Amino acid sequence: MFQLSAVTTALLLLAFYGFTFLMTLSIREKKENVDGFMVSNGAVGFGISAASMTATWVWAASLYAAASSGYTYGVSGPIHYGLWGALMILCIYPFGRHFRRVAPKAHTLAEVMHARHGRSSQLILAVSNIVGSVISLTANFTAAGALVEILTPLSFLHGVLIAAVGVLCYTLWSGFRASVLTDFAQLVAMMVAAALIVPMVFFATGGIGALDQGVATLTTEQANFFSGEAFLEQGGPYLAAVLAYAIGNQTIAQRLFAVRQDRIKSTFITATLGYAGTVIGLGMLGLLAVMVGLQPLNGDMNNIIPQMASEYLSPVMVGLLFIMVIGSLSSTADSDLAALSSLVMTDIYGKNLARGKVNPRTMLHIGRITMVAATALGVMFAVSNFNILDLLVFVGALWGALVFPVIASFYWDRITNRAFTASVLVALVFFLVARFELLPLTGVVALVMEIAAAIGAAVVFGFMAFGLFGKRVGFSVGAVAGVALLPLILGFLRDYPTLLGSLVSYGVSTVVCVAISMAAQERFDFSVIDQRVTEFQMREAGTPPEPVEAAR
């Protein structure tokens, strides 16, 4: 298997991280503004914001997972992975526009929950965001180590350390502005590489002739474009997960609060198309791999893309793939660092520790210290082979439990802090029981879980329709979906605990939140949110706009 030389590897990494660092020097400010550091003062234009949203959503794990899906589930695998993720980006933008109307100067969703409900709701959302971003950062450093170990003579540890130091260096001083600016260049590199690599691998494996022969090696389910197995084991759980990801992950919210309000729709639509094309295209490498009989090195599905590249591409194209994957993981890693800094600056220091007396200089120091500490944690977890799967599942369930309370809190004036907190905690307990089968999924237990899952499915479809077509259509679609799916789910979904657990999380949080809210008599005045959520540091009069705001 072909490997890049140590010298070539060093030059490629030095060129990549050196270029990104030089880009960020152009946007450094002598007198840094904390709001600019976190969300670029909510004035990022279309080109930069669309590229940043796409690059953040297309991370190394999604490239590897799409290829693994193609290898495991065949023809429909990459479609299930890429299509549902793209659809969720599209479905989130109407909610995003409403979030910005309610809180135009927000930095995090948790900050808005503090204004809407109080401290407990805020901290539940903020802590889940922080844990999720640390896990994402760890996954990206792990991907860097694996890539370097396979395609170069360097070790796994070298790859982790190089990626960690490189990303930290160009993100540390300019924060979110550095992340969105470098995302643009990284996305261009990724898309150009993807457009070249996929067809080159296709023709190198034998083209149409090899494809005809390879189809015969696929199983019935792998050859079926509408595979039920692929949907139940891949598409369904991912559909539920990405909706929770879009609500629960600060990297998405941060871009939502950074883009100009009149550019939100165009930004999200462009990101939808960019994500779908890139991820589905690279996922097809997994399908080609199973057709040519490739066996993943050490049984690790994450090795499929590097192996296909080393087997069927020229050294120059292997180098291009190397830069593409480094770019994809770096774009998400810098987003994680920027997200973590804004969460700690806003929700830990600004809304809690500062007690109403925010010092902008202290806030910036805390943001940068957070980046350094998060990088150290990510490296530690990555090099110690820390098993992040259980934490990832746990945080995913927590995000799923948050979807209804968070979205409903922006629309319904009867949601209370008690309803928010109780619904998330109860849903989390039900999820653990369903996902890890802490109680046998038989009899009454299974029946209750499947009913909750049917409600959860109705919530997912209802929210999708509500965002795109309005309240009346959303409620109608949700009701029809619940009634139609209930007889199909009963007695069946208990055999698929991954999908069952995800939907149960949605369903239980919805039922508990609605029940407690209906019992309360409180009404909330949404106009006070704009008064409670403000800039931490007003820009001085006459201060010119930041460079990244110029892009339209």
Side-chain angles (χ1 to χ4, degrees):
M1 186 168 62
F2 174 79
Q3 284 189 325
L4 300 169
S5 69
V7 173
T8 302
T9 302
L11 290 175
L12 287 173
L13 290 170
L14 182 62
F16 177 83
Y17 286 117
F19 176 70
T20 52
F21 179 73
L22 290 175
M23 287 180 66
T24 61
L25 291 181
S26 66
I27 57 172
R28 286 187 62 179
E29 294 186 348
K30 292 182 179 179
K31 190 174 182 180
E32 185 66 80
N33 176 277
V34 295
D35 301 292
F37 188 86
M38 290 190 284
V39 290
S40 291
N41 298 92
V44 180
F46 164 69
I48 295 292
S49 59
S52 182
M53 181 70 77
T54 307
T56 298
W57 206 264
V58 182
W59 57 319
S62 60
L63 301 183
Y64 288 168
S68 299
S69 187
Y71 189 90
T72 304
Y73 300 109
V75 176
S76 65
I79 305 296
H80 277 302
Y81 194 93
L83 178 63
W84 300 123
L87 185 61
M88 283 302 103
I89 303 176
L90 185 64
C91 290
I92 285 299
Y93 93 80
F95 298 116
R97 289 195 298 182
H98 183 71
F99 294 170
R100 282 293 296 275
R101 281 195 296 268
V102 172
K105 298 177 182 178
H107 307 84
T108 70
L109 281 177
E111 179 187 16
V112 184
M113 290 302 101
H114 183 276
R116 174 68 174 84
H117 294 302
R119 184 171 298 175
S120 63
S121 299
Q122 177 213 15
L123 290 178
I124 287 175
L125 184 54
V127 169
S128 73
N129 287 169
I130 290 170
V131 174
S133 290
V134 171
I135 291 173
S136 174
L137 191 65
T138 301
N140 281 289
F141 290 164
T142 302
L147 181 74
V148 168
E149 187 176 39
I150 292 174
L151 290 184
T152 79
L154 303 181
S155 69
F156 178 88
L157 177 60
H158 290 139
V160 170
L161 291 175
I162 291 170
V165 173
V167 170
L168 181 63
C169 283
Y170 73 77
T171 310
L172 186 62
W173 294 109
S174 299
F176 178 75
R177 294 197 321 278
S179 176
V180 295
L181 181 64
T182 55
D183 280 346
F184 184 85
Q186 290 162 351
L187 179 67
V188 170
M190 278 193 288
M191 298 193 81
V192 169
L196 293 173
I197 288 170
V198 175
M200 290 184 72
V201 171
F202 174 73
F203 288 112
T205 56
I208 300 295
L211 186 64
D212 291 337
Q213 296 177 4
V215 169
T217 66
L218 300 179
T219 66
T220 303
E221 285 292 330
Q222 286 177 325
N224 182 7
F225 188 80
F226 301 99
S227 169
E229 178 185 344
F231 177 77
L232 290 170
E233 296 184 4
Q234 171 71 59
Y238 189 61
L239 174 62
V242 291
L243 179 59
Y245 182 91
I247 293 297
N249 193 296
Q250 169 62 9
T251 61
I252 305 302
Q254 197 170 22
R255 280 149 183 78
L256 169 64
F257 292 126
V259 64
R260 278 174 37 185
Q261 290 194 51
D262 62 330
R263 299 295 184 183
I264 291 176
K265 180 177 180 180
S266 56
T267 292
F268 276 74
I269 291 175
T270 304
T272 297
L273 299 175
Y275 174 86
T278 304
V279 171
I280 293 174
L282 287 167
M284 290 301 172
L285 292 180
L287 177 61
L288 291 175
V290 73
M291 286 182 171
V292 299
L294 180 138
Q295 295 298 317
L297 188 65
N298 300 323
D300 187 351
M301 293 288 190
N302 290 334
N303 293 331
I304 290 174
I305 289 181
Q307 279 184 254
M308 289 293 286
S310 63
E311 288 284 344
Y312 295 103
L313 292 178
S314 67
V316 172
M317 295 307 298
V318 170
L320 186 61
L321 174 110
F322 183 78
I323 290 298
M324 179 191 74
V325 179
I326 290 293
S328 70
L329 65 90
S330 296
S331 67
T332 307
D334 63 39
S335 299
D336 289 324
L337 290 180
L340 284 162
S341 66
S342 66
L343 286 164
V344 176
M345 290 167 72
T346 299
D347 297 304
I348 305 301
Y349 172 73
K351 294 298 181 181
N352 288 283
L353 299 181
R355 299 184 182 277
K357 299 179 180 179
V358 174
N359 184 322
R361 179 173 294 181
T362 301
M363 205 172 194
L364 285 170
H365 288 325
I366 289 174
R368 290 175 175 134
I369 291 170
T370 299
M371 288 186 179
V372 175
T375 300
L377 278 175
V379 170
M380 181 182 71
F381 291 155
V383 301
S384 62
N385 293 317
F386 188 83
N387 187 353
I388 65 171
L389 181 58
D390 290 341
L391 272 180
L392 191 60
V393 170
F394 182 82
V395 172
L398 183 57
W399 287 348
L402 285 163
V403 169
F404 180 86
V406 168
I407 294 179
S409 292
F410 280 90
Y411 291 90
W412 192 20
D413 60 2
R414 294 186 66 170
I415 300 287
T416 65
N417 186 46
R418 181 182 176 188
F420 187 109
T421 304
S423 63
V424 173
L425 296 178
V426 173
L428 190 57
V429 172
F430 271 74
F431 164 80
L432 294 173
V433 172
R435 176 63 180 84
F436 299 106
E437 300 183 53
L438 301 181
L439 295 175
L441 292 178
T442 57
V444 176
V445 173
L447 181 64
V448 170
M449 292 297 179
E450 287 173 337
I451 292 174
I455 296 172
V459 171
V460 171
F461 286 110
F463 268 140
M464 291 169 62
F466 174 66
L468 294 174
F469 306 110
K471 181 172 66 174
R472 183 174 298 179
V473 175
F475 277 105
S476 300
V477 169
V480 171
V483 172
L485 290 173
L486 182 60
L488 301 177
I489 286 175
L490 292 178
F492 172 74
L493 202 60
R494 64 192 66 181
D495 295 327
Y496 297 89
T498 301
L499 180 56
L500 178 67
S502 297
L503 294 178
V504 162
S505 187
Y506 282 93
V508 171
S509 68
T510 300
V511 171
V512 175
C513 190
V514 170
I516 296 178
S517 297
M518 291 296 290
Q521 301 301 317
E522 302 174 30
R523 297 284 182 172
F524 182 77
D525 180 7
F526 285 99
S527 65
V528 304
I529 290 182
D530 191 27
Q531 302 168 21
R532 295 175 180 176
V533 179
T534 62
E535 294 176 330
F536 287 107
Q537 180 182 3
M538 298 295 293
R539 297 183 67 84
E540 296 178 3
T543 301
E546 299 168 3
V548 296
E549 297 172 12
R552 294 291 182 264

